[in-house]
Amino acid sequence: MVERPAPLGHFTAGAPTLGVEEEFLLSDPHTGRPSLRNTEVAAAGQELGIDLQLELSRCQVETSTSIGSHIRDLRDQLCESRAVAADAAAHTGCQLLAVGTSMYDPPPDSITATPRYQQMAEQFGALTTGVMCGCHVHVGVEDREQGVQVINHLRPWLPTLLALTANSPISAGVDTGYASWRHILFGRWPSSGPPPYFESANDYDDAVATMLETAVILDPHMVYWYVRLSDHLPTVEIRISDVPATVEETMTFAALVHALVTTAMQAISRGESAPIVDQDVLHAACWRAARDGLSGRGLDIDRKHLVPARHLARRLLAHTGPVLAELGELEQVTASLASVLHHGNGAIVQHRTLARRGKVADVIDVAARRTFEGCVSQKGVVVKSGPSAQ
């Protein structure tokens, strides 16, 4: 059974702790259209021993791990969570998809009927109709002051993390031309984007207070910066990523984020300040990452010119390599990254499938299989999806 998650934040001596949240799309296995059954799927999940959270849209659910001090602590949880969530979806006539956004638009009445989500719909109108499935990694920090400095150190790496995990090229039944359409949808929210460079926790809090005062956000949980301080846990939360297509890609992403934060903490302890990256340059780099993903070019922030995105991914691996080696993860992450660069991430596979087969239905079938690739259910059998699972 999947246990109810413990809080996703804590700091221990040595490597910081981490926890992972993944958001998934529910679709009709016959039509591929969004399936507005998240409450039914969550109820089925309870019977199967998994706590599935409801999201803004009724065609979404979220899983979360307990905390661990190492990515290896979470491997089995990530696999089992996907498998059991897929079981719960199948029991209600849905299929679970690890995709960054819906490939078809949901109907108008798709907002989850909770007071907070209904208030968001009233305040922000059509912004709430976009379906966005992300992966959020919480990493424990000692205190908010350290957390703000970690955020500063992570800012330059946000575009590369997005390119690595891009998994939403199709929307409204067509190829958008982007690797991460979720990122474009997410960018419409007034509180989203790369965070500014902050001098202190007070500086951070002042920015949040301004957003509250101007009603840009309803509450601190609506701070949608791509990396932020948690509003209720002692963590930094990295939320730039589309939900990765496979559990292996999620583990690679989480391991890189964990190592990035640990590397930042080591730099902070040595008195090293984070590079001050111009906000407009960072916005441009994130847009470029959403546009091309891993298959094209990315913005070299230091030199301010375009280079192959794969080079930036390898630069990220080199930057985090010493910490990954200390954690015993370098070999695994290196192999996983090499596999993604060779075979393609979620966006590349979706583009390739659509180009070869010409039907969105085929893309959905492939995405459904890859969602729980290598995972088993609590009964020890590989989960089925699609009509045959009903």
Side-chain angles (χ1 to χ4, degrees), residues 204-238:
Y204 182 100
D205 292 339
D206 286 345
V208 174
T210 298
M211 287 193 284
L212 285 166
E213 177 64 26
T214 56
V216 166
I217 57 176
L218 299 179
D219 52 53
H221 196 62
M222 281 190 68
V223 174
Y224 292 153
W225 288 321
Y226 303 151
V227 54
R228 69 181 184 183
L229 295 177
S230 171
D231 64 331
H232 63 290
L233 300 170
T235 68
V236 292
E237 181 185 2
I238 295 82

PDB file of all heavy atoms in Angstrom, residues 204-238:
ATOM      1  N   TYR A 204      11.878  39.068  -0.096  1.00  0.00           N
ATOM      2  CA  TYR A 204      10.950  38.091  -0.658  1.00  0.00           C
ATOM      3  C   TYR A 204       9.539  38.338  -0.127  1.00  0.00           C
ATOM      4  O   TYR A 204       8.566  38.402  -0.897  1.00  0.00           O
ATOM      5  CB  TYR A 204      11.422  36.680  -0.302  1.00  0.00           C
ATOM      6  CG  TYR A 204      10.587  35.546  -0.854  1.00  0.00           C
ATOM      7  CD1 TYR A 204      10.994  34.849  -1.984  1.00  0.00           C
ATOM      8  CD2 TYR A 204       9.408  35.150  -0.216  1.00  0.00           C
ATOM      9  CE1 TYR A 204      10.241  33.791  -2.487  1.00  0.00           C
ATOM     10  CE2 TYR A 204       8.648  34.101  -0.711  1.00  0.00           C
ATOM     11  CZ  TYR A 204       9.071  33.419  -1.838  1.00  0.00           C
ATOM     12  OH  TYR A 204       8.315  32.373  -2.329  1.00  0.00           O
ATOM     13  N   ASP A 205       9.429  38.491   1.196  1.00  0.00           N
ATOM     14  CA  ASP A 205       8.117  38.681   1.811  1.00  0.00           C
ATOM     15  C   ASP A 205       7.458  39.975   1.358  1.00  0.00           C
ATOM     16  O   ASP A 205       6.229  40.040   1.204  1.00  0.00           O
ATOM     17  CB  ASP A 205       8.243  38.663   3.333  1.00  0.00           C
ATOM     18  CG  ASP A 205       8.619  37.291   3.879  1.00  0.00           C
ATOM     19  OD1 ASP A 205       8.397  36.295   3.168  1.00  0.00           O
ATOM     20  OD2 ASP A 205       9.142  37.225   5.006  1.00  0.00           O
ATOM     21  N   ASP A 206       8.256  41.015   1.138  1.00  0.00           N
ATOM     22  CA  ASP A 206       7.704  42.283   0.642  1.00  0.00           C
ATOM     23  C   ASP A 206       7.088  42.102  -0.745  1.00  0.00           C
ATOM     24  O   ASP A 206       6.027  42.676  -1.050  1.00  0.00           O
ATOM     25  CB  ASP A 206       8.796  43.357   0.593  1.00  0.00           C
ATOM     26  CG  ASP A 206       9.180  43.878   1.971  1.00  0.00           C
ATOM     27  OD1 ASP A 206       8.419  43.630   2.926  1.00  0.00           O
ATOM     28  OD2 ASP A 206      10.236  44.521   2.078  1.00  0.00           O
ATOM     29  N   ALA A 207       7.756  41.308  -1.590  1.00  0.00           N
ATOM     30  CA  ALA A 207       7.225  41.067  -2.937  1.00  0.00           C
ATOM     31  C   ALA A 207       5.904  40.311  -2.875  1.00  0.00           C
ATOM     32  O   ALA A 207       4.958  40.616  -3.617  1.00  0.00           O
ATOM     33  CB  ALA A 207       8.246  40.291  -3.770  1.00  0.00           C
ATOM     34  N   VAL A 208       5.831  39.333  -1.986  1.00  0.00           N
ATOM     35  CA  VAL A 208       4.583  38.581  -1.825  1.00  0.00           C
ATOM     36  C   VAL A 208       3.486  39.487  -1.270  1.00  0.00           C
ATOM     37  O   VAL A 208       2.330  39.430  -1.714  1.00  0.00           O
ATOM     38  CB  VAL A 208       4.800  37.361  -0.906  1.00  0.00           C
ATOM     39  CG1 VAL A 208       3.472  36.664  -0.613  1.00  0.00           C
ATOM     40  CG2 VAL A 208       5.780  36.378  -1.542  1.00  0.00           C
ATOM     41  N   ALA A 209       3.837  40.347  -0.309  1.00  0.00           N
ATOM     42  CA  ALA A 209       2.857  41.264   0.267  1.00  0.00           C
ATOM     43  C   ALA A 209       2.284  42.204  -0.791  1.00  0.00           C
ATOM     44  O   ALA A 209       1.090  42.522  -0.777  1.00  0.00           O
ATOM     45  CB  ALA A 209       3.496  42.065   1.401  1.00  0.00           C
ATOM     46  N   THR A 210       3.121  42.641  -1.721  1.00  0.00           N
ATOM     47  CA  THR A 210       2.647  43.513  -2.804  1.00  0.00           C
ATOM     48  C   THR A 210       1.652  42.774  -3.690  1.00  0.00           C
ATOM     49  O   THR A 210       0.629  43.337  -4.104  1.00  0.00           O
ATOM     50  CB  THR A 210       3.829  44.023  -3.638  1.00  0.00           C
ATOM     51  OG1 THR A 210       4.690  44.806  -2.807  1.00  0.00           O
ATOM     52  CG2 THR A 210       3.350  44.868  -4.810  1.00  0.00           C
ATOM     53  N   MET A 211       1.932  41.513  -3.987  1.00  0.00           N
ATOM     54  CA  MET A 211       1.003  40.729  -4.803  1.00  0.00           C
ATOM     55  C   MET A 211      -0.329  40.538  -4.084  1.00  0.00           C
ATOM     56  O   MET A 211      -1.396  40.593  -4.695  1.00  0.00           O
ATOM     57  CB  MET A 211       1.632  39.383  -5.172  1.00  0.00           C
ATOM     58  CG  MET A 211       2.722  39.493  -6.224  1.00  0.00           C
ATOM     59  SD  MET A 211       3.210  37.886  -6.936  1.00  0.00           S
ATOM     60  CE  MET A 211       4.199  37.217  -5.610  1.00  0.00           C
ATOM     61  N   LEU A 212      -0.281  40.336  -2.775  1.00  0.00           N
ATOM     62  CA  LEU A 212      -1.513  40.204  -2.012  1.00  0.00           C
ATOM     63  C   LEU A 212      -2.289  41.518  -1.996  1.00  0.00           C
ATOM     64  O   LEU A 212      -3.511  41.539  -2.168  1.00  0.00           O
ATOM     65  CB  LEU A 212      -1.197  39.767  -0.577  1.00  0.00           C
ATOM     66  CG  LEU A 212      -0.802  38.303  -0.381  1.00  0.00           C
ATOM     67  CD1 LEU A 212      -0.191  38.097   0.997  1.00  0.00           C
ATOM     68  CD2 LEU A 212      -2.011  37.385  -0.558  1.00  0.00           C
ATOM     69  N   GLU A 213      -1.593  42.620  -1.794  1.00  0.00           N
ATOM     70  CA  GLU A 213      -2.224  43.928  -1.716  1.00  0.00           C
ATOM     71  C   GLU A 213      -2.910  44.296  -3.029  1.00  0.00           C
ATOM     72  O   GLU A 213      -3.978  44.925  -3.042  1.00  0.00           O
ATOM     73  CB  GLU A 213      -1.184  44.984  -1.352  1.00  0.00           C
ATOM     74  CG  GLU A 213      -1.707  46.419  -1.312  1.00  0.00           C
ATOM     75  CD  GLU A 213      -2.744  46.641  -0.235  1.00  0.00           C
ATOM     76  OE1 GLU A 213      -2.738  45.901   0.776  1.00  0.00           O
ATOM     77  OE2 GLU A 213      -3.579  47.550  -0.406  1.00  0.00           O
ATOM     78  N   THR A 214      -2.307  43.913  -4.135  1.00  0.00           N
ATOM     79  CA  THR A 214      -2.862  44.258  -5.446  1.00  0.00           C
ATOM     80  C   THR A 214      -3.801  43.184  -5.993  1.00  0.00           C
ATOM     81  O   THR A 214      -4.273  43.301  -7.125  1.00  0.00           O
ATOM     82  CB  THR A 214      -1.721  44.486  -6.457  1.00  0.00           C
ATOM     83  OG1 THR A 214      -0.895  43.313  -6.504  1.00  0.00           O
ATOM     84  CG2 THR A 214      -0.873  45.687  -6.054  1.00  0.00           C
ATOM     85  N   ALA A 215      -4.069  42.147  -5.185  1.00  0.00           N
ATOM     86  CA  ALA A 215      -4.961  41.044  -5.561  1.00  0.00           C
ATOM     87  C   ALA A 215      -4.467  40.273  -6.783  1.00  0.00           C
ATOM     88  O   ALA A 215      -5.248  39.641  -7.499  1.00  0.00           O
ATOM     89  CB  ALA A 215      -6.386  41.536  -5.786  1.00  0.00           C
ATOM     90  N   VAL A 216      -3.162  40.316  -7.029  1.00  0.00           N
ATOM     91  CA  VAL A 216      -2.560  39.458  -8.046  1.00  0.00           C
ATOM     92  C   VAL A 216      -2.641  38.002  -7.613  1.00  0.00           C
ATOM     93  O   VAL A 216      -2.718  37.088  -8.437  1.00  0.00           O
ATOM     94  CB  VAL A 216      -1.099  39.886  -8.305  1.00  0.00           C
ATOM     95  CG1 VAL A 216      -0.329  38.843  -9.076  1.00  0.00           C
ATOM     96  CG2 VAL A 216      -1.076  41.215  -9.050  1.00  0.00           C
ATOM     97  N   ILE A 217      -2.641  37.784  -6.304  1.00  0.00           N
ATOM     98  CA  ILE A 217      -2.829  36.454  -5.735  1.00  0.00           C
ATOM     99  C   ILE A 217      -3.894  36.540  -4.645  1.00  0.00           C
ATOM    100  O   ILE A 217      -4.094  37.603  -4.039  1.00  0.00           O
ATOM    101  CB  ILE A 217      -1.520  35.873  -5.149  1.00  0.00           C
ATOM    102  CG1 ILE A 217      -0.932  36.812  -4.079  1.00  0.00           C
ATOM    103  CG2 ILE A 217      -0.490  35.618  -6.237  1.00  0.00           C
ATOM    104  CD1 ILE A 217       0.307  36.259  -3.380  1.00  0.00           C
ATOM    105  N   LEU A 218      -4.571  35.433  -4.404  1.00  0.00           N
ATOM    106  CA  LEU A 218      -5.567  35.377  -3.338  1.00  0.00           C
ATOM    107  C   LEU A 218      -4.941  35.001  -2.007  1.00  0.00           C
ATOM    108  O   LEU A 218      -5.459  35.366  -0.953  1.00  0.00           O
ATOM    109  CB  LEU A 218      -6.658  34.360  -3.690  1.00  0.00           C
ATOM    110  CG  LEU A 218      -7.468  34.619  -4.963  1.00  0.00           C
ATOM    111  CD1 LEU A 218      -8.475  33.499  -5.176  1.00  0.00           C
ATOM    112  CD2 LEU A 218      -8.169  35.965  -4.882  1.00  0.00           C
ATOM    113  N   ASP A 219      -3.853  34.245  -2.068  1.00  0.00           N
ATOM    114  CA  ASP A 219      -3.173  33.772  -0.872  1.00  0.00           C
ATOM    115  C   ASP A 219      -1.740  33.416  -1.263  1.00  0.00           C
ATOM    116  O   ASP A 219      -1.418  33.306  -2.453  1.00  0.00           O
ATOM    117  CB  ASP A 219      -3.898  32.562  -0.267  1.00  0.00           C
ATOM    118  CG  ASP A 219      -4.147  31.458  -1.282  1.00  0.00           C
ATOM    119  OD1 ASP A 219      -3.172  31.034  -1.944  1.00  0.00           O
ATOM    120  OD2 ASP A 219      -5.297  31.012  -1.424  1.00  0.00           O
ATOM    121  N   PRO A 220      -0.845  33.238  -0.274  1.00  0.00           N
ATOM    122  CA  PRO A 220       0.557  32.946  -0.604  1.00  0.00           C
ATOM    123  C   PRO A 220       0.762  31.674  -1.424  1.00  0.00           C
ATOM    124  O   PRO A 220       1.777  31.539  -2.107  1.00  0.00           O
ATOM    125  CB  PRO A 220       1.219  32.837   0.776  1.00  0.00           C
ATOM    126  CG  PRO A 220       0.382  33.694   1.662  1.00  0.00           C
ATOM    127  CD  PRO A 220      -1.026  33.491   1.171  1.00  0.00           C
ATOM    128  N   HIS A 221      -0.190  30.757  -1.365  1.00  0.00           N
ATOM    129  CA  HIS A 221      -0.029  29.528  -2.144  1.00  0.00           C
ATOM    130  C   HIS A 221      -0.130  29.794  -3.641  1.00  0.00           C
ATOM    131  O   HIS A 221       0.254  28.945  -4.451  1.00  0.00           O
ATOM    132  CB  HIS A 221      -1.086  28.500  -1.726  1.00  0.00           C
ATOM    133  CG  HIS A 221      -0.782  27.108  -2.165  1.00  0.00           C
ATOM    134  ND1 HIS A 221       0.348  26.420  -1.744  1.00  0.00           N
ATOM    135  CD2 HIS A 221      -1.428  26.253  -3.013  1.00  0.00           C
ATOM    136  CE1 HIS A 221       0.371  25.219  -2.299  1.00  0.00           C
ATOM    137  NE2 HIS A 221      -0.687  25.098  -3.072  1.00  0.00           N
ATOM    138  N   MET A 222      -0.628  30.966  -4.002  1.00  0.00           N
ATOM    139  CA  MET A 222      -0.719  31.321  -5.417  1.00  0.00           C
ATOM    140  C   MET A 222       0.526  32.050  -5.924  1.00  0.00           C
ATOM    141  O   MET A 222       0.514  32.594  -7.021  1.00  0.00           O
ATOM    142  CB  MET A 222      -1.956  32.184  -5.679  1.00  0.00           C
ATOM    143  CG  MET A 222      -3.252  31.409  -5.754  1.00  0.00           C
ATOM    144  SD  MET A 222      -4.620  32.447  -6.347  1.00  0.00           S
ATOM    145  CE  MET A 222      -4.093  32.724  -8.049  1.00  0.00           C
ATOM    146  N   VAL A 223       1.590  32.069  -5.154  1.00  0.00           N
ATOM    147  CA  VAL A 223       2.872  32.543  -5.667  1.00  0.00           C
ATOM    148  C   VAL A 223       3.382  31.464  -6.610  1.00  0.00           C
ATOM    149  O   VAL A 223       3.799  30.389  -6.178  1.00  0.00           O
ATOM    150  CB  VAL A 223       3.876  32.794  -4.523  1.00  0.00           C
ATOM    151  CG1 VAL A 223       5.250  33.156  -5.086  1.00  0.00           C
ATOM    152  CG2 VAL A 223       3.363  33.901  -3.605  1.00  0.00           C
ATOM    153  N   TYR A 224       3.333  31.740  -7.893  1.00  0.00           N
ATOM    154  CA  TYR A 224       3.630  30.725  -8.895  1.00  0.00           C
ATOM    155  C   TYR A 224       5.013  30.887  -9.527  1.00  0.00           C
ATOM    156  O   TYR A 224       5.240  30.427 -10.652  1.00  0.00           O
ATOM    157  CB  TYR A 224       2.562  30.733  -9.996  1.00  0.00           C
ATOM    158  CG  TYR A 224       1.200  30.265  -9.543  1.00  0.00           C
ATOM    159  CD1 TYR A 224       0.043  30.715 -10.179  1.00  0.00           C
ATOM    160  CD2 TYR A 224       1.057  29.364  -8.493  1.00  0.00           C
ATOM    161  CE1 TYR A 224      -1.218  30.279  -9.780  1.00  0.00           C
ATOM    162  CE2 TYR A 224      -0.189  28.930  -8.079  1.00  0.00           C
ATOM    163  CZ  TYR A 224      -1.323  29.384  -8.723  1.00  0.00           C
ATOM    164  OH  TYR A 224      -2.570  28.958  -8.321  1.00  0.00           O
ATOM    165  N   TRP A 225       5.935  31.533  -8.824  1.00  0.00           N
ATOM    166  CA  TRP A 225       7.302  31.589  -9.337  1.00  0.00           C
ATOM    167  C   TRP A 225       7.821  30.175  -9.579  1.00  0.00           C
ATOM    168  O   TRP A 225       7.413  29.223  -8.901  1.00  0.00           O
ATOM    169  CB  TRP A 225       8.208  32.298  -8.340  1.00  0.00           C
ATOM    170  CG  TRP A 225       7.976  33.777  -8.267  1.00  0.00           C
ATOM    171  CD1 TRP A 225       7.699  34.640  -9.282  1.00  0.00           C
ATOM    172  CD2 TRP A 225       7.996  34.582  -7.069  1.00  0.00           C
ATOM    173  NE1 TRP A 225       7.550  35.930  -8.812  1.00  0.00           N
ATOM    174  CE2 TRP A 225       7.739  35.925  -7.462  1.00  0.00           C
ATOM    175  CE3 TRP A 225       8.233  34.298  -5.714  1.00  0.00           C
ATOM    176  CZ2 TRP A 225       7.688  36.968  -6.548  1.00  0.00           C
ATOM    177  CZ3 TRP A 225       8.184  35.335  -4.804  1.00  0.00           C
ATOM    178  CH2 TRP A 225       7.919  36.656  -5.217  1.00  0.00           C
ATOM    179  N   TYR A 226       8.734  30.042 -10.515  1.00  0.00           N
ATOM    180  CA  TYR A 226       9.231  28.723 -10.902  1.00  0.00           C
ATOM    181  C   TYR A 226      10.063  28.062  -9.809  1.00  0.00           C
ATOM    182  O   TYR A 226      10.257  26.846  -9.833  1.00  0.00           O
ATOM    183  CB  TYR A 226      10.049  28.815 -12.188  1.00  0.00           C
ATOM    184  CG  TYR A 226       9.274  29.408 -13.337  1.00  0.00           C
ATOM    185  CD1 TYR A 226       9.924  30.105 -14.351  1.00  0.00           C
ATOM    186  CD2 TYR A 226       7.885  29.282 -13.437  1.00  0.00           C
ATOM    187  CE1 TYR A 226       9.224  30.663 -15.410  1.00  0.00           C
ATOM    188  CE2 TYR A 226       7.181  29.836 -14.485  1.00  0.00           C
ATOM    189  CZ  TYR A 226       7.853  30.530 -15.470  1.00  0.00           C
ATOM    190  OH  TYR A 226       7.154  31.084 -16.514  1.00  0.00           O
ATOM    191  N   VAL A 227      10.555  28.837  -8.881  1.00  0.00           N
ATOM    192  CA  VAL A 227      11.116  28.299  -7.641  1.00  0.00           C
ATOM    193  C   VAL A 227      10.718  29.288  -6.555  1.00  0.00           C
ATOM    194  O   VAL A 227      10.822  30.494  -6.733  1.00  0.00           O
ATOM    195  CB  VAL A 227      12.649  28.087  -7.723  1.00  0.00           C
ATOM    196  CG1 VAL A 227      13.378  29.344  -8.159  1.00  0.00           C
ATOM    197  CG2 VAL A 227      13.206  27.587  -6.393  1.00  0.00           C
ATOM    198  N   ARG A 228      10.235  28.764  -5.456  1.00  0.00           N
ATOM    199  CA  ARG A 228       9.685  29.624  -4.408  1.00  0.00           C
ATOM    200  C   ARG A 228       9.944  28.996  -3.044  1.00  0.00           C
ATOM    201  O   ARG A 228      10.271  27.808  -2.928  1.00  0.00           O
ATOM    202  CB  ARG A 228       8.181  29.807  -4.608  1.00  0.00           C
ATOM    203  CG  ARG A 228       7.382  28.534  -4.361  1.00  0.00           C
ATOM    204  CD  ARG A 228       5.884  28.724  -4.589  1.00  0.00           C
ATOM    205  NE  ARG A 228       5.144  27.502  -4.237  1.00  0.00           N
ATOM    206  CZ  ARG A 228       3.839  27.352  -4.388  1.00  0.00           C
ATOM    207  NH1 ARG A 228       3.110  28.338  -4.899  1.00  0.00           N
ATOM    208  NH2 ARG A 228       3.250  26.221  -4.040  1.00  0.00           N
ATOM    209  N   LEU A 229       9.761  29.810  -2.006  1.00  0.00           N
ATOM    210  CA  LEU A 229       9.697  29.273  -0.662  1.00  0.00           C
ATOM    211  C   LEU A 229       8.315  28.681  -0.456  1.00  0.00           C
ATOM    212  O   LEU A 229       7.310  29.282  -0.857  1.00  0.00           O
ATOM    213  CB  LEU A 229       9.930  30.377   0.379  1.00  0.00           C
ATOM    214  CG  LEU A 229      11.300  31.055   0.413  1.00  0.00           C
ATOM    215  CD1 LEU A 229      11.298  32.155   1.470  1.00  0.00           C
ATOM    216  CD2 LEU A 229      12.407  30.049   0.701  1.00  0.00           C
ATOM    217  N   SER A 230       8.237  27.518   0.148  1.00  0.00           N
ATOM    218  CA  SER A 230       6.932  26.974   0.490  1.00  0.00           C
ATOM    219  C   SER A 230       6.262  27.894   1.501  1.00  0.00           C
ATOM    220  O   SER A 230       6.922  28.475   2.376  1.00  0.00           O
ATOM    221  CB  SER A 230       7.083  25.572   1.079  1.00  0.00           C
ATOM    222  OG  SER A 230       5.847  25.118   1.603  1.00  0.00           O
ATOM    223  N   ASP A 231       4.939  28.040   1.384  1.00  0.00           N
ATOM    224  CA  ASP A 231       4.222  28.906   2.319  1.00  0.00           C
ATOM    225  C   ASP A 231       3.859  28.177   3.606  1.00  0.00           C
ATOM    226  O   ASP A 231       3.334  28.785   4.538  1.00  0.00           O
ATOM    227  CB  ASP A 231       2.953  29.472   1.663  1.00  0.00           C
ATOM    228  CG  ASP A 231       1.950  28.386   1.301  1.00  0.00           C
ATOM    229  OD1 ASP A 231       2.386  27.247   1.039  1.00  0.00           O
ATOM    230  OD2 ASP A 231       0.740  28.674   1.284  1.00  0.00           O
ATOM    231  N   HIS A 232       4.155  26.857   3.686  1.00  0.00           N
ATOM    232  CA  HIS A 232       3.798  26.132   4.904  1.00  0.00           C
ATOM    233  C   HIS A 232       4.816  25.061   5.304  1.00  0.00           C
ATOM    234  O   HIS A 232       4.607  24.368   6.297  1.00  0.00           O
ATOM    235  CB  HIS A 232       2.421  25.467   4.724  1.00  0.00           C
ATOM    236  CG  HIS A 232       2.377  24.433   3.630  1.00  0.00           C
ATOM    237  ND1 HIS A 232       2.453  24.753   2.291  1.00  0.00           N
ATOM    238  CD2 HIS A 232       2.259  23.088   3.687  1.00  0.00           C
ATOM    239  CE1 HIS A 232       2.382  23.655   1.569  1.00  0.00           C
ATOM    240  NE2 HIS A 232       2.275  22.631   2.395  1.00  0.00           N
ATOM    241  N   LEU A 233       5.916  24.953   4.568  1.00  0.00           N
ATOM    242  CA  LEU A 233       6.936  23.963   4.873  1.00  0.00           C
ATOM    243  C   LEU A 233       8.324  24.613   4.830  1.00  0.00           C
ATOM    244  O   LEU A 233       8.522  25.597   4.122  1.00  0.00           O
ATOM    245  CB  LEU A 233       6.909  22.819   3.840  1.00  0.00           C
ATOM    246  CG  LEU A 233       5.620  22.007   3.717  1.00  0.00           C
ATOM    247  CD1 LEU A 233       5.699  21.095   2.498  1.00  0.00           C
ATOM    248  CD2 LEU A 233       5.371  21.189   4.973  1.00  0.00           C
ATOM    249  N   PRO A 234       9.300  24.071   5.574  1.00  0.00           N
ATOM    250  CA  PRO A 234      10.666  24.611   5.517  1.00  0.00           C
ATOM    251  C   PRO A 234      11.419  24.105   4.296  1.00  0.00           C
ATOM    252  O   PRO A 234      12.419  23.382   4.398  1.00  0.00           O
ATOM    253  CB  PRO A 234      11.287  24.109   6.819  1.00  0.00           C
ATOM    254  CG  PRO A 234      10.597  22.805   7.063  1.00  0.00           C
ATOM    255  CD  PRO A 234       9.179  22.988   6.577  1.00  0.00           C
ATOM    256  N   THR A 235      10.917  24.471   3.115  1.00  0.00           N
ATOM    257  CA  THR A 235      11.517  23.998   1.876  1.00  0.00           C
ATOM    258  C   THR A 235      11.571  25.099   0.831  1.00  0.00           C
ATOM    259  O   THR A 235      10.849  26.090   0.919  1.00  0.00           O
ATOM    260  CB  THR A 235      10.699  22.835   1.255  1.00  0.00           C
ATOM    261  OG1 THR A 235       9.435  23.333   0.810  1.00  0.00           O
ATOM    262  CG2 THR A 235      10.480  21.702   2.240  1.00  0.00           C
ATOM    263  N   VAL A 236      12.413  24.881  -0.164  1.00  0.00           N
ATOM    264  CA  VAL A 236      12.263  25.568  -1.441  1.00  0.00           C
ATOM    265  C   VAL A 236      11.558  24.580  -2.358  1.00  0.00           C
ATOM    266  O   VAL A 236      11.776  23.359  -2.285  1.00  0.00           O
ATOM    267  CB  VAL A 236      13.614  26.013  -2.047  1.00  0.00           C
ATOM    268  CG1 VAL A 236      14.236  27.109  -1.204  1.00  0.00           C
ATOM    269  CG2 VAL A 236      14.575  24.847  -2.202  1.00  0.00           C
ATOM    270  N   GLU A 237      10.707  25.111  -3.212  1.00  0.00           N
ATOM    271  CA  GLU A 237       9.909  24.276  -4.104  1.00  0.00           C
ATOM    272  C   GLU A 237      10.206  24.649  -5.548  1.00  0.00           C
ATOM    273  O   GLU A 237       9.990  25.786  -5.955  1.00  0.00           O
ATOM    274  CB  GLU A 237       8.417  24.458  -3.808  1.00  0.00           C
ATOM    275  CG  GLU A 237       7.509  23.607  -4.677  1.00  0.00           C
ATOM    276  CD  GLU A 237       6.045  23.908  -4.440  1.00  0.00           C
ATOM    277  OE1 GLU A 237       5.720  24.810  -3.627  1.00  0.00           O
ATOM    278  OE2 GLU A 237       5.214  23.255  -5.087  1.00  0.00           O
ATOM    279  N   ILE A 238      10.724  23.702  -6.296  1.00  0.00           N
ATOM    280  CA  ILE A 238      11.061  23.918  -7.702  1.00  0.00           C
ATOM    281  C   ILE A 238       9.887  23.402  -8.529  1.00  0.00           C
ATOM    282  O   ILE A 238       9.544  22.213  -8.475  1.00  0.00           O
ATOM    283  CB  ILE A 238      12.368  23.192  -8.078  1.00  0.00           C
ATOM    284  CG1 ILE A 238      13.554  23.798  -7.321  1.00  0.00           C
ATOM    285  CG2 ILE A 238      12.629  23.303  -9.583  1.00  0.00           C
ATOM    286  CD1 ILE A 238      13.736  23.304  -5.909  1.00  0.00           C
TER     287      ILE A 238
END
